[in-house]
Amino acid sequence: AVGHSRKSTRGPAQRQRSGWLQLSGSGPEVKSCSHLIQWEVTSELHRNTHRKLVMRAFILVLAAAFSSALAAANCSTAFDCSLAGDCVNGQCVCDAAFSGSPECDVLKIVPGTKSSGYHNATFASWGGNVVYAEGRYHGFFAQMSDHCSLHYWGSNSEVVRVEGDSAQGPFRYAQTVIAPFAHNPTVRQLLDGRFVLFIIGGSATQPVHCNATSTPNRRARRDLASDIAFGVSSSVRGPWTWHQVNFTAGSAMLAGGFTNPSPYFFPNGSVMLAFQAQPGHGKSWELVGTAFAPALGEPFRLLSSQPVTPEEWWCVAGQDEDPFLWRSSRGFHIIMHGMCPTGARFCFEACVYVCASRETISKRPHTGVMQAHYAFSQDGISWKTSKRQTYSYRVEFNDTSPVLYARVERPQLFFARFDTVNGTYDEPRFLYNGVCEAAGCLFQAPHMHTKAASRSAMSYSLVRPLAF
């Protein structure tokens, strides 16, 4: 029955019942026991394989059903929607400006004009923000004096006021608010009508003069241990009364080097401040923290000893810098320039800039070494930082080709709605950044000053419209 050369005379049922009992007999079946064993083993393997396939199919069905359930109910509160949308029937309904992702943590940027923002023909600038007053839009931007590039921000940065007919610009130079050194301006209007301008610096330096024939000296180094200041004025045109910002104490992770301020004013006059600091273990990490003062002019105390984004060992430069803080009707928010790419991604992006053509660069989506972070909190103390890039370095325009910028930093926003009773900002309408196109901007090359290099190497202040 199991031999190769003899045809079985038994039916299928008999062959199936033969089993191992045939091994005890004699004659032809004993001689063919090896074939019987092979047949039984093969049958058992087939049965096991079938069971495994059925089990795997069952697991896949369960996983698909579970995934569908998650997809159908991906939120339970607004916090699951990054505090930039509402949870409706288990689905995030994002605010228009943050509808760039299903979890409401990516800005939805629409194409604008490249001429928007602040482009000075002979002076480089590096971001700022805008308020509406006296029938005009007034921006306060960092500008490099004496025709120098961003490379010389430590000696040549000054704060200027610009004017425009809309919050998008284009803006025109109006006046120098404070001569070098002054950097990272951000302006707010208080409920009593006064204006408060936060900066870093405020002390006089000797600026470097850059031109087409001279060899620029290395930019000045500054000790920014406690270099935050603010000015108060009843008019956007000044004059300003200046004060120093102090902190009651630091922490191990936010020990000093307080810089890059961004304030939020509560209706009762108290102030929350987002800032950049460095840890106390000798590493030059850039980390963002938050602090609180009961009134403007009083010392700030840390709201948490830990940074907004926890530090990771592979982040050689830290996590974040350049915070912009606001409070909406749902909670607190910060957008920041990110400082922690992965090593492999960094090498890839560097190769793209060095090796690829401009056309290739401008067509590819951009994340990685060029980071833009978004964090949110219900109390301003415990924060969650999104893993996505909240805005791209590749910018679409409606009047020219897309541009992939080498640097896009100093993010700030303009809002369409401010609740004077609750002190909340909603409906962000425009995104401001300091930008630079040329790859050399990544390394702050000293020859990248405005007269000796191409226009692409000159930094300026870009404005991008957001969906609404």
Side-chain angles (χ1 to χ4, degrees):
V2 294
H4 284 297
S5 59
R6 298 181 61 182
K7 185 175 180 181
S8 173
T9 58
R10 292 180 293 179
Q14 289 177 303
R15 290 197 297 269
Q16 187 176 5
R17 289 195 301 268
S18 60
W20 293 105
L21 293 177
Q22 297 188 56
L23 294 177
S24 62
S26 60
E29 292 184 347
V30 174
K31 295 179 182 178
S32 304
C33 67
S34 62
H35 297 90
L36 177 62
I37 292 172
Q38 181 181 0
W39 181 83
E40 292 289 349
V41 170
T42 302
S43 299
E44 186 67 19
L45 288 175
H46 287 169
R47 286 192 292 272
N48 288 340
T49 301
H50 178 71
R51 284 195 293 268
K52 289 179 180 178
L53 289 174
V54 172
M55 182 60 69
R56 288 175 182 173
F58 180 69
I59 292 172
L60 288 174
V61 170
L62 287 179
F66 184 68
S67 298
S68 299
L70 288 178
N74 63 358
C75 66
S76 56
T77 68
F79 194 83
D80 298 327
C81 305
S82 311
L83 296 180
D86 295 318
C87 184
V88 180
N89 297 325
Q91 293 285 309
C92 288
V93 179
C94 303
D95 296 343
F98 275 91
S99 60
S101 73
E103 287 77 24
C104 315
D105 54 358
V106 176
L107 288 168
K108 181 70 172 180
I109 299 172
V110 298
T113 59
K114 194 176 181 182
S115 60
S116 297
Y118 179 49
H119 300 253
N120 191 304
T122 57
F123 293 97
S125 67
W126 195 238
N129 74 319
V130 174
V131 293
Y132 181 77
E134 302 175 10
R136 302 277 289 168
Y137 291 88
H138 302 262
F140 291 82
F141 290 84
Q143 179 171 284
M144 311 308 127
S145 67
D146 296 286
H147 308 288
C148 283
S149 72
L150 180 63
H151 177 74
Y152 300 92
W153 71 269
S155 60
N156 285 54
S157 181
E158 60 187 6
V159 173
V160 300
R161 183 178 62 84
V162 300
E163 295 182 358
D165 297 324
S166 78
Q168 189 174 2
F171 296 103
R172 297 169 295 278
Y173 170 85
Q175 71 175 131
T176 298
V177 177
I178 182 168
F181 168 75
H183 198 57
N184 287 5
T186 186
V187 66
R188 305 288 187 275
Q189 186 171 19
L190 302 179
L191 291 177
D192 62 10
R194 293 180 299 161
F195 297 89
V196 179
L197 178 63
F198 273 73
I199 63 167
I200 63 172
S203 57
T205 60
Q206 183 61 45
V208 175
H209 184 76
C210 302
N211 56 50
T213 58
S214 66
T215 301
N217 297 317
R218 186 170 180 82
R219 67 177 174 85
R221 296 286 185 179
R222 293 186 54 82
D223 178 11
L224 302 179
S226 57
D227 212 24
I228 300 176
F230 68 91
V232 181
S233 175
S234 59
S235 169
V236 288
R237 306 174 191 276
W240 300 85
T241 303
W242 294 98
H243 309 268
Q244 194 73 20
V245 169
N246 295 306
F247 291 80
T248 57
S251 68
M253 293 301 294
L254 303 168
F258 300 108
T259 182
N260 291 11
S262 181
Y264 167 74
F265 292 90
F266 291 92
N268 65 0
S270 58
V271 192
M272 180 184 292
L273 187 71
F275 59 89
Q276 177 188 312
Q278 295 179 349
H281 46 57
K283 293 189 177 181
S284 298
W285 288 346
E286 296 184 357
L287 305 171
V288 167
T290 56
F292 177 83
L296 184 63
E298 296 193 24
F300 285 90
R301 61 171 177 83
L302 299 186
L303 286 172
S304 172
S305 62
Q306 298 301 310
V308 168
T309 307
E311 181 54 38
E312 304 289 354
W313 65 267
W314 62 81
C315 299
V316 295
Q319 281 282 13
D320 309 295
E321 65 164 359
D322 296 346
F324 177 78
L325 167 71
W326 77 98
R327 177 175 166 244
S328 73
S329 54
R330 299 187 188 94
F332 297 90
H333 314 256
I334 298 177
I335 54 174
M336 305 165 281
H337 172 232
M339 297 294 293
C340 184
T342 60
R345 188 74 186 191
F346 180 87
C347 294
F348 174 73
E349 298 295 348
C351 181
V352 166
Y353 268 103
V354 172
C355 306
S357 66
R358 198 66 182 171
E359 290 75 18
T360 301
I361 291 173
S362 65
K363 291 178 181 178
R364 58 182 300 277
H366 196 79
T367 56
V369 66
M370 299 174 185
Q371 303 270 308
H373 294 169
Y374 168 65
F376 50 97
S377 170
Q378 292 177 317
D379 57 9
I381 301 173
S382 300
W383 293 83
K384 180 178 180 179
T385 301
S386 167
K387 295 183 182 301
R388 293 185 178 88
Q389 308 306 312
T390 194
Y391 58 80
S392 175
Y393 283 49
R394 183 178 184 270
V395 180
E396 301 276 351
F397 297 104
N398 55 26
D399 59 348
T400 188
S401 329
V403 174
L404 178 63
Y405 288 90
R407 296 181 67 178
V408 182
E409 302 174 21
R410 297 293 301 144
Q412 302 198 58
L413 295 171
F414 181 87
F415 298 88
R417 187 159 61 91
F418 174 66
D419 187 328
T420 57
V421 175
N422 297 308
T424 54
Y425 295 86
D426 288 288
E427 299 180 20
R429 194 59 54 87
F430 295 105
L431 170 66
Y432 303 89
N433 289 106
V435 299
C436 191
E437 296 181 31
C441 302
L442 287 170
F443 313 102
Q444 294 190 357
H447 67 278
M448 294 293 182
H449 50 84
T450 59
K451 291 187 177 180
S454 66
R455 289 288 301 171
S456 65
M458 182 177 178
S459 64
Y460 56 94
S461 301
L462 179 69
V463 182
R464 285 182 276 180
L466 304 176
F468 64 94

